[in-house]
Amino acid sequence: EAHPNPLLAFAGYFWAPIPWMIEVALVLSLVARHWTDGIIIGVLLAMNGLVAFTEEHQAANAIAALKEQLAATAQARRDGAWVEVPARELVTGDVIHLRLGDVVPADARLLDVGPLQVDQSALTGESLPVSRGGGDALFSGSVVVRGESDALVYATGASSFFGRTTALVETAGTVSHFQRAVLRIGNYLIVLAVTLLSLTVVVSLARGNPALQTLEFALVVSIASVPVALPAVLSVTMAVGARQLAHRQAVVSHLPAVEELGGIDVLCSDKTGTLTQNRLAAGAPWCAPGVGPGAVAEAAGLASRAENRDPIDLAVLAARGGAAPAGRVEGFVPFDPVTKRSEATVAGPEGASFRVTKGAPQVVAALCPGDPAVAVAEAQVEDFARRGYRSLGVAR
């Protein structure tokens, strides 16, 4: 990661058309020994650079602090032993161990045959996890939500799938509308100031005026044509906006971005997980004849387990609220991508034992042969699909 030199970054705020004009006016004030004008111009020039540099430097520090919190470590096999190393030190050929909750630190291929489920919403926007088996690729930035496995690293840093995307973003380097507008104003004022100064000097010398008097008059013209306070006013105004955004947990890394984002008319995005809450929620259930919504929610909750952190299980349990289960779970079979369902054996309040299951509607329907509600349920699943809902089957 490239770290810019702070001195060069600070000097960059004095290298633009309007700062050039202010700097010329400052030099002319010093040459003409107009110390008061020189001090005022110098203070405004320095204030503009300091305000912009301070705000963006603080934003950079905040972003760096966030990066430190996100800095991942990995379990890697080195010299025949498993050790914890920073993700930035991983190299191609490393064998890493991944388990529940780990962020995949680099692009890798699974070595174990057992299935692993990963959340790729940061890359694809898809809320549901995807299954990966032996030899399948895992992309850096995805999160392991189920299973445990070893993997072989084949790409790191900028060579990874996520890293290549980041590199493309960094090379964009577009100039904002705000910056283009300020540059146009600066260029126009430079041409106007140079024209006026040239006419002033030519006319003054043609009249035979003393050089010092000509210089003083040129100073007056240059100061009058230069908006000395414009950069400072712009920087302070945008800094106030950046401060207000910071109180709302939004970090502004570049001050002109405040005005640029505020001027957006249409924002287009092709990803869902980045703009939504990336959270599933259970809607109103369809119930078979003679079955109430409470019974459906109760059965689905018994076939779910909160500690698995499965997004579907969490959505089902959230729909039940804080209601206590009407039974004690004696055995639980977690969701299997092969069977496409989870199952629980429950001891009821009267001591009777029963089983509940939830999963893909067609799989659950196959467990209920001869039930007249199956045909109606299949039509309901189609209706849910037409309306953009995912369906979940529940049986007891």
Side-chain angles (χ1 to χ4, degrees):
E1 183 179 359
H3 297 281
N5 188 311
L7 294 177
L8 292 178
F10 180 68
Y13 295 104
F14 303 98
W15 189 258
I18 292 182
W20 291 341
M21 299 174 65
I22 299 174
E23 288 156 10
V24 170
L26 176 60
V27 171
L28 289 176
S29 299
L30 297 177
V31 171
R33 297 184 179 183
H34 288 190
W35 309 119
T36 303
D37 292 343
I39 291 173
I40 294 174
I41 295 173
V43 167
L44 288 172
L45 183 64
M47 187 175 72
N48 170 53
L50 284 172
V51 169
F53 177 78
T54 301
E55 287 296 324
E56 295 190 6
H57 183 68
Q58 290 178 351
N61 289 339
I63 293 172
L66 292 174
K67 287 182 179 179
E68 286 298 323
Q69 293 180 3
L70 297 174
T73 59
Q75 291 285 339
R77 192 169 181 83
R78 298 279 175 88
D79 298 326
W82 290 102
V83 295
E84 189 173 274
V85 298
R88 63 178 179 272
E89 295 182 6
L90 290 176
V91 295
T92 302
D94 267 337
V95 175
I96 58 176
H97 185 70
L98 300 170
R99 55 182 181 269
L100 178 68
D102 284 349
V103 178
V104 180
D107 288 0
R109 293 194 182 278
L110 285 180
L111 297 176
D112 298 340
V113 178
L116 199 74
Q117 287 197 325
V118 293
D119 178 2
Q120 297 185 151
S121 58
L123 297 109
T124 64
E126 176 57 49
S127 299
L128 290 178
V130 295
S131 298
R132 290 290 181 262
D136 289 342
L138 297 174
F139 298 122
S140 62
S142 52
V143 182
V144 179
V145 295
R146 179 172 294 166
E148 190 170 344
S149 179
D150 295 340
L152 178 67
V153 174
Y154 69 87
T156 63
S159 300
S160 66
F161 180 81
F162 197 71
R164 292 197 299 272
T165 305
T166 306
L168 290 174
V169 173
E170 289 179 349
T171 56
T174 57
V175 180
S176 69
H177 170 76
F178 173 79
Q179 291 171 313
R180 288 196 298 268
V182 173
L183 285 174
R184 283 198 299 268
I185 293 172
N187 293 333
Y188 174 78
L189 291 176
I190 285 178
V191 173
L192 180 62
V194 170
T195 303
L196 289 174
L197 284 174
S198 302
L199 289 174
T200 300
V201 171
V202 169
V203 172
S204 182
L205 293 178
R207 290 180 175 180
N209 296 333
L212 183 59
Q213 183 180 356
T214 302
L215 180 61
E216 289 179 346
F217 193 73
L219 174 63
V220 171
V221 173
S222 63
I223 293 177
S225 60
V226 175
V228 179
L230 176 62
V233 170
L234 292 176
S235 297
V236 171
T237 303
M238 289 186 292
V240 170
R243 290 285 181 176
Q244 292 177 348
L245 288 172
H247 290 309
R248 301 190 175 205
Q249 317 303 320
V251 179
V252 179
S253 60
H254 189 48
L255 285 183
V258 176
E259 191 277 341
E260 192 70 9
L261 188 62
I264 287 180
D265 293 321
V266 178
L267 175 65
C268 302
S269 175
D270 63 346
K271 296 184 69 176
T272 56
T274 51
L275 297 180
T276 67
Q277 294 181 344
N278 190 28
R279 212 166 50 221
L280 296 177
W286 174 87
C287 306
V291 180
V296 174
E298 175 71 22
L302 290 170
S304 305
R305 181 174 283 180
E307 52 266 30
N308 286 350
R309 310 304 299 170
D310 183 276
I312 294 180
D313 285 5
L314 294 178
V316 169
L317 294 172
R320 288 185 63 242
R328 178 172 52 85
V329 177
E330 295 180 331
F332 186 81
V333 179
F335 179 83
D336 187 342
V338 177
T339 61
K340 293 183 173 57
R341 66 187 181 93
S342 61
E343 182 180 302
T345 303
V346 184
E350 292 83 15
S353 181
F354 60 91
R355 290 187 299 167
V356 291
T357 185
K358 72 172 183 9
Q362 65 272 20
V363 173
V364 174
L367 299 175
C368 309
D371 192 325
V374 169
V376 184
E378 290 176 349
Q380 187 63 41
V381 168
E382 292 294 331
D383 181 62
F384 280 154
R386 282 192 296 269
R387 293 156 57 190
Y389 292 119
R390 289 190 177 98
S391 298
L392 186 68
V394 181
R396 171 175 168 172

